[in-house]
Structure formats: structure tokens, C-alpha cells
Amino acid sequence: MNTTYNPAIHHRRSIRLRNYDYGQAGYYYVTICTHKKRHMLGEIVDSQMNLSEMGAIVELELLKTEQIREYVKIHEYVIMPNHIHAIIQIMDRDEPNDPVRARRWHALIASNHDENSPVRLTPNTLGSIICQLKSITTKQCRQSGHPEFAWHRGYHERIIRNVDELFQVRQYIRANPMEWAMDKENGMCCGENGNG
């Protein structure tokens, strides 16, 4: 299995497309980094990821995403010391403007998001999914005695356009812990100019 760095797949810069509907059905490869690339989510020992308490909180909430949003599926993920990778599928919804689901989403955001934040996100989009995950994990980590926990202000995504690309991204995610020691990016997965 070839897991060498391929800028077409493993890029660290967002290629967010203008006028693209990130709420439409599709597969998205997402990378979310910790603030200042701090190793807070655990450590790699013998090519295996050992989650810290904060990493365990992140994993639990990532997996809960499917329960909160019936239209979302997490196909593959890995939690690394200072970032996570995930393949997130947004599925077709029979009622994309379902008012009950919209109210549930707004209630979740209101209960877990800093009300002073200027962020205004559209429900049922990739951005809203990531925002909720970051918000609730930050709150829970801090309440668990880790006031230093924070995410990088943005995230990176790539639209997965075909089955071959989906396979390549899956292989890259699975190999991430084994490649950690040789990964020149392991301390700098997000630049200071990340996207929100």
C-alpha cells in the first residue's frame, strides 16, 4: 500500500468552492486540527493511537454525529495527536427543510456555542456539522478539567468525487498512525490562515 504524500489527496489547504452547496449529498474528506497544533488528543505508540481523555471525548462526539443527524454517516476516521481526519457522507434527505430537524439543530447550537460568536451557519451543511462537533467537544473537554483545549479556528475539506478517490482517502486515513513518525506535517497540520 502506497501512503506517500500526494498533494491531490492529502493537501492541507482548503479548496472550498464558491457557490458550491456543502449541504448537498456527497462524500467529504475533512481535517480538523487542534489550536496551535498542540498534541492534546493522545499519542502514537508503536504505530497505534492511544487516545487521551480529550481524544476519547472527541471520538465519542464524532460518532454521535450520526445519531444527531440521520442524514450523516461517518465512513472512516482517525484521531491523531493534533488533528482528526474523517470521511463524512451527507445523504439525500426527503425533507431538506424539515422544521423539526432545523429546530433541533438550532437548539444544539444554542446550548453549545458561544453566543458572542459571529458565526451564522446554514443548518444541515458540512460547516454546521463541523461547527457543532468543535463546539460541543470544546465545551466537554473544558468541563472535564482541560481548560486549555481548543481547536484551530477552521477546518479543511475536500469533495470526494469518485470511488477511486474514496478508496485512496480511506487508505490514507487508515495508514495515518503508522506514518506518524515520518510525517513532516505532524506538527504543522494547519496553517495560520485556515478556513472556517
Side-chain angles (χ1 to χ4, degrees):
M1 170 173 53
N2 182 2
T3 58
T4 57
Y5 179 78
N6 178 341
I9 299 170
H10 312 142
H11 67 87
R12 303 296 187 186
R13 304 184 113 188
S14 172
I15 55 168
R16 197 157 295 138
L17 301 175
R18 282 186 182 177
N19 303 319
Y20 184 84
D21 177 6
Y22 283 91
Q24 72 180 332
Y27 291 80
Y28 302 91
Y29 170 39
V30 175
T31 301
I32 311 170
C33 300
T34 57
H35 183 62
K36 295 187 178 179
K37 305 117 189 155
R38 292 182 60 196
H39 292 202
M40 294 187 279
L41 304 177
E43 62 179 342
I44 302 289
V45 178
D46 296 328
S47 298
Q48 297 289 322
M49 180 62 185
N50 294 326
L51 296 176
S52 65
E53 181 181 13
M54 291 175 279
I57 288 170
V58 169
E59 181 176 47
L60 180 64
E61 292 304 324
L62 177 64
L63 296 175
K64 277 186 183 177
T65 301
E66 293 181 343
Q67 298 167 10
I68 294 168
R69 297 175 175 85
E70 300 89 356
Y71 60 91
V72 172
K73 175 114 177 108
I74 308 297
H75 280 272
E76 194 80 42
Y77 72 92
V78 66
I79 299 174
M80 299 295 287
N82 63 357
H83 65 281
I84 65 175
H85 291 302
I87 297 173
I88 299 175
Q89 179 188 9
I90 297 178
M91 295 177 274
D92 283 321
R93 297 179 293 281
D94 293 333
E95 299 178 46
N97 297 314
D98 179 359
V100 173
R101 185 172 291 146
R103 281 195 302 274
R104 186 185 320 157
W105 182 86
H106 285 297
L108 283 165
I109 288 295
S111 66
N112 293 296
H113 195 67
D114 178 359
E115 62 186 31
N116 297 319
S117 171
V119 175
R120 299 288 180 263
L121 294 171
T122 304
N124 306 327
T125 62
L126 184 65
S128 70
I129 294 165
I130 303 303
C131 177
Q132 177 62 27
L133 176 66
K134 289 169 68 175
S135 177
I136 198 165
T137 53
T138 299
K139 180 179 180 179
Q140 290 191 6
C141 286
R142 290 177 180 176
Q143 287 177 343
S144 296
H146 304 283
E148 74 283 8
F149 184 81
W151 292 107
H152 179 72
R153 72 175 179 87
Y155 67 94
H156 301 285
E157 91 295 320
R158 178 179 178 84
I159 302 161
I160 298 176
R161 298 183 185 275
N162 56 56
V163 173
D164 289 339
E165 190 173 349
L166 180 62
F167 176 77
Q168 290 177 342
V169 172
R170 268 196 182 127
Q171 294 300 97
Y172 177 74
I173 289 174
R174 290 174 184 170
N176 231 230
M178 294 171 282
E179 300 290 330
W180 178 252
M182 298 176 290
D183 187 351
K184 293 177 184 175
E185 305 272 339
N186 70 18
M188 53 179 102
C189 76
C190 292
E192 293 304 313
N193 297 316
N195 295 296

